[in-house]
């Protein structure tokens, strides 16, 4: 309260100083006498309101020239806040939201505690999990209770259950206990298993419609093994929405595995908690069994290095604060094998950040219908889309500022570029209380994201180069073919005139004897159409050779090579010597 009053006093003081400065400036102006009584207070109110907004925003410094991206991001956030405020003042409607899946379901007797009680527990291991807080269903229940006061309805069945368990419940926020309004068993003739939750909330569909659909699309992108259906039923049927994202693969990634804590990832409080709750009888077993990458021999060496009165047989629960502090310090100073990332899903090349493995997956696309020109970034963390505060995220900053797109034959300004980056880890380094963006101040993470996008750029460059070569080849062929009829007619006229004229000179007679060009013209075997066909064949052959040479110059020849066999028509055949080139090795068939 004191801090709030202090801030308020400072705001009033700044406002009074600004008022006095404004009055002094107005007195010095010649036009002061022309101002009406109404105009002066209006100017003062405008000045005061501007000063107040700047102070509340944190007295931010004036934007540096050239930092247009940060300024645009700030303005975008301000516009978003204004739109959200306008939406909150708009008409709100009660909506019933139902979510249904065909998963493993929840046991009947555990449903009240799973949904009606906010639980906390001690983690003896770490595991990659979807989501951010692990409170999704409980937060929906509390939101329903706070906005409408209505309970939620739950239907669930496990694979072994012969019935569907139905609950209508809410949560006692003060006692942190479930309050069950109704419970019954329903028939399950379809042998369905999974969970279905229905909540009634207060909302504004017109304002949040685009965000909901965007979230559903991105969920479908990151989970191609699931079929997702979304249905919105409006009072007017023409305003209803029904979208289904079909399953694009039948292969599911393996589930992530739980692993022990890496010594480099633990903090002091975690070491204390593990020491107090471990079932091991001595300190050596404690280090060996409760942490990963520590062998029994190495655990003994660590205990010897502690030099704080503890030995191998000391019970972990008997360690005092000084000994635990020394152990924690030693765990961060000693060298340990890095975790390999095999416990993450989907698997890939793992990196390590503060003792936690993480994997970065990326994809880059060009073109598309519902995408605007420029770089469009789609961020995912542990298979969950991140929709807000993208300007501060490591993925967005890397895609916009750290990648030279021109090196991959991509125009950053005009091409429709989609950058998809997914990060999975046992600990995502979020920033902010809402966990809406990932930190940009960790070199390991920045390097991994940049490398993943660059590798996608290299693969895309190969395809773009091939497409450009094909387009140029088609254009060259079109331009050359356009002049073939005229060229064939002109050449044929020259040959006709030469065939009709008598042979004069030794050179002419020698050429006729060796090449025999004019005789077919005289006999009618060579006509204008024959010349046109020969020119077309020549253009195609030369064009193919030029395209191959162009691709070799652009590095396409460095792509993956594979053996290619052509089956000869006859059973009897022999191959000649090998003919080597930069792109292939040929063995020509020898005539029988």
């Amino acid at each position: 309260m004191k801090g709030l009053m202090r801030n308020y006093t400072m705001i009033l003081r700044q406002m009074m100083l600004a008022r006095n400065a404004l009055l002094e400036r107005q007195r010095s102006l010649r036009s002061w006498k022309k101002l009406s009584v109404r105009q002066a207070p209006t100017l003062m109110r405008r000045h005061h309101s501007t000063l107040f907004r700047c102070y509340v925003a944190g007295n931010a410094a004036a934007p540096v020239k050239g930092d247009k991206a940060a300024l645009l991001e700030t303005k975008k956030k301000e516009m978003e806040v204004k739109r959200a405020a306008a939406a909150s003042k708009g008409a709100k409607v009660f909506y019933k939201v139902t979510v249904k899946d065909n998963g493993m379901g929840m046991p009947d007797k555990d449903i009240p505690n799973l949904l009606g009680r906010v639980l906390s527990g001690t983690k003896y291991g770490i595991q990659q999990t979807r989501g951010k807080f692990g409170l999704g269903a409980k937060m929906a229940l509390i939101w329903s209770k706070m906005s409408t006061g209505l309970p939620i309805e739950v239907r669930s069945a496990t694979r072994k259950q012969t019935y569907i368990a139905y609950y209508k419940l809410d949560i006692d926020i003060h006692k942190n206990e479930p309050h069950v309004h109704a419970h019954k068993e329903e028939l399950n003739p379809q042998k369905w298993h999974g969970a279905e939750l229905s909540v009634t909330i207060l909302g504004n569909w017109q304002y949040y419609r685009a965000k909901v659909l965007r979230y559903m699309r991105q969920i479908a992108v990151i989970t191609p093994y699931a079929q997702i259906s979304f249905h919105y039923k409006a009072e007017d049927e023409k305003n209803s929405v029904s979208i289904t994202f079909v399953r694009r693969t039948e292969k599911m990634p393996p589930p992530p595995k739980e692993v022990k804590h890496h010594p480099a990832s633990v903090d002091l409080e975690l070491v204390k908690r593990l020491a107090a709750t471990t079932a091991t009888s001595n300190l050596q077993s404690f280090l060996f069994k409760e942490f990963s990458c520590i062998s029994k021999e190495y655990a003994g060496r660590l205990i010897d290095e502690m030099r704080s009165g503890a030995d191998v047989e000391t019970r972990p629960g008997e360690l005092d604060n000084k000994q635990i502090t020394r152990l924690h310090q030693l765990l961060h100073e000693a060298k340990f094998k890095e975790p390999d990332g095999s416990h993450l899903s989907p698997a890939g090349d793992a990196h390590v950040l503060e003792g936690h493995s993480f994997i970065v997956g990326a994809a880059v696309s060009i073109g598309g219908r519902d995408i605007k020109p420029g770089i469009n970034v789609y961020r995912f963390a542990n298979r969950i889309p991140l929709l807000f505060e993208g300007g501060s995220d490591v993925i967005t900053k890397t895609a916009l500022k750290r990648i030279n797109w021109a090196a991959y034959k991509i125009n950053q300004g005009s091409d429709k570029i989609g950058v998809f980056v997914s990060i999975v880890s046992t600990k995502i380094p979020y920033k902010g209380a809402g966990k809406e963006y990932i930190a940009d101040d960790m070199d390991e993470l920045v390097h991994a994201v940049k490398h993943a996008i660059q590798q996608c750029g290299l693969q895309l460059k190969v395809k773009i180069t091939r497409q450009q070569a094909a387009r140029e080849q088609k254009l060259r062929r079109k331009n050359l073919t356009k002049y073939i009829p005229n060229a064939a007619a002109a050449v044929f006229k020259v040959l006709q005139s030469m065939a009709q004229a008598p042979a004069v000179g030794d050179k002419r007679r020698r050429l006729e004897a060796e090449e025999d060009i004019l005789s077919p013209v005289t006999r009618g075997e060579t006509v204008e159409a024959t010349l046109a066909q020969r020119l077309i064949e020549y253009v195609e052959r030369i064009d193919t050779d030029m395209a191959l040479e162009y691709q070799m110059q652009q590095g396409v020849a460095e792509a993956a090579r594979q053996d290619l066999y052509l089956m000869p028509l006859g059973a009897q055949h022999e191959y000649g010597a090998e003919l080597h080139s930069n792109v292939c090795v040929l063995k020509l068939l020898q005539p029988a």
Side-chain angles (χ1 to χ4, degrees), residues 52-169:
F52 183 76
R53 284 198 300 270
C54 293
Y55 187 84
V56 172
N59 288 336
V64 181
K65 185 178 180 180
D67 195 8
K68 295 182 179 179
L71 185 60
L72 290 174
E73 185 67 25
T74 303
K75 290 183 178 180
K76 185 177 179 181
K77 289 182 179 180
E78 291 178 357
M79 299 263 314
E80 188 71 19
V81 171
K82 291 180 181 179
R83 284 197 297 266
S88 64
K89 295 179 182 178
K92 292 186 177 180
V93 184
F94 291 96
Y95 296 92
K96 185 174 183 179
V97 181
T98 301
V99 180
K100 183 177 181 180
D101 63 37
N102 59 343
M104 60 185 297
M106 296 176 286
D108 186 353
K109 60 183 181 63
D110 295 334
I111 291 177
N113 284 327
L114 288 174
L115 298 176
R117 192 192 304 271
V118 180
L119 303 174
S120 62
T122 302
K123 289 187 176 180
Y124 295 96
I126 52 176
Q127 185 178 13
Q128 169 195 336
T129 56
R130 297 187 77 239
K132 302 173 183 177
F133 300 98
L135 299 172
K138 299 180 182 66
M139 291 174 69
L141 190 154
I142 295 174
W143 184 13
S144 174
K145 185 176 180 64
M146 293 178 64
S147 61
T148 64
L150 298 177
I152 68 170
E153 296 180 86
V154 184
R155 288 180 174 84
S156 182
T158 62
R159 292 181 182 274
K160 297 181 179 180
Q161 257 179 232
T162 58
Y163 62 92
I164 298 176
Y166 170 83
Y167 280 88
K168 180 184 287 187
L169 58 86

Side-chain angles (χ1 to χ4, degrees), residues 221-237:
V221 168
I222 201 63
T223 55
Y225 46 82
Q227 177 167 308
I228 302 173
S229 298
F230 176 81
H231 305 282
Y232 169 73
K233 187 176 182 180
E235 293 181 348
D236 189 350
E237 188 63 29

